[in-house]
Amino acid sequence: MGWAKPLKKLLYALPAPAFWLGVWQVCAFLVDRHLEGRGNELLLPYPASVWTALAAMAGTGEFWGAVLTSLGRIALGLAWGVTIGAVLAVLTCASPWADRLLSPAIRVVRAAPVASFILLVLLWTGRNTVPAVISAMMVTPVVWDNLSRGIQAIDPRLLELARCYRFSRWKQVVLVYLPALRPYILTALTTATGLAWKSGVAAEVLCLPEPSLGQRIYYTKYYLDIPELFAWTAVTVALSMVLERLLRACVARWGRGWGR
């Protein structure tokens, strides 16, 4: 039957979310009882309260404006970070001098606190540009590190065989490099997507671009609207997971044609 497999997947996926929702419900109840009915909305709201806030938000144009604008900014930063990281990986693997020159700077970016870069970029650019720039800066070292390790791990005998058959540069990329780098690309995208969202939304919280998820999160904290704060946080996490799955699906789909 056509519905048996989707139903089986659904039943397999349900226990974990149901368990943690139950833990959340019990913890909210204990907080509510401990503070005599005054703590559930200020410290730990019930799941139903968060769902009500999310449903009310989703019916407004401001909600979708903030979601789509933040999605565009951070996706742009992610794309730039992946591109720059890939170019730097190729340069540092191809030239020892490029590696000596660029690797220290990339490691400094990876080690420095995100908040410092947010404040510096805010001084140099407009606040609407900061989330994309920060996302790109945080993604670049991750992509560079994974792809560099992948390029160095490619079997040199495959490259020698490609040269013996006089493969063009493009054919070497398609038939040798991309299939070998596929697991490294998947790892880089998985890590980079979450990092781009966390750093991008953190930048929005600090610089308050209009409209944005980070701005809404900041205002809910400012006005102590904790159910809405949980709702915005849930939206941010959900968007990160959806984008990650889409990227992984795209890489997997393209990867099936790399070896042809």
Side-chain angles (χ1 to χ4, degrees), residues 24-204:
W24 180 2
Q25 178 74 19
V26 170
C27 291
F29 174 77
L30 293 176
V31 170
D32 194 14
R33 288 291 300 272
H34 180 70
L35 298 178
E36 299 179 356
R38 299 190 301 272
N40 61 317
E41 297 299 323
L42 290 177
L43 293 178
L44 185 62
Y46 288 107
S49 300
V50 176
W51 176 257
T52 301
L54 179 59
M57 287 168 14
T60 64
E62 291 82 0
F63 171 83
W64 293 107
V67 167
L68 294 176
T69 305
S70 289
L71 181 63
R73 290 192 187 107
I74 296 173
L76 178 63
L78 176 62
W80 273 108
V82 170
T83 302
I84 296 171
V87 171
L88 291 176
V90 172
L91 289 176
T92 54
C93 289
S95 169
W97 284 105
D99 184 48
R100 292 180 184 179
L101 181 66
L102 298 174
S103 294
I106 299 171
R107 293 189 176 95
V108 167
V109 172
R110 182 171 55 187
V114 180
S116 300
F117 282 122
I118 294 172
L119 296 177
L120 287 173
V121 175
L122 182 59
L123 291 175
W124 299 333
T125 66
R127 62 179 183 174
N128 290 331
T129 310
V130 175
V133 174
I134 293 299
S135 296
M137 290 180 67
M138 295 301 106
V139 165
T140 296
V142 173
V143 176
W144 167 79
D145 183 56
N146 280 274
L147 294 188
S148 295
R149 288 189 287 109
I151 293 172
Q152 293 167 1
I154 293 176
D155 191 345
R157 291 174 296 181
L158 291 176
L159 299 175
E160 184 178 352
L161 184 63
R163 286 192 291 268
C164 289
Y165 281 97
R166 297 184 179 180
F167 283 1
S168 65
R169 181 66 64 180
W170 173 250
K171 203 169 183 179
Q172 288 183 35
V173 170
V174 172
L175 296 181
V176 179
Y177 283 97
L178 288 182
L181 291 176
R182 182 182 176 187
Y184 296 92
I185 293 173
L186 285 173
T187 302
L189 288 178
T190 301
T191 307
T193 303
L195 188 59
W197 272 100
K198 287 189 290 187
S199 59
V201 173
E204 290 180 343

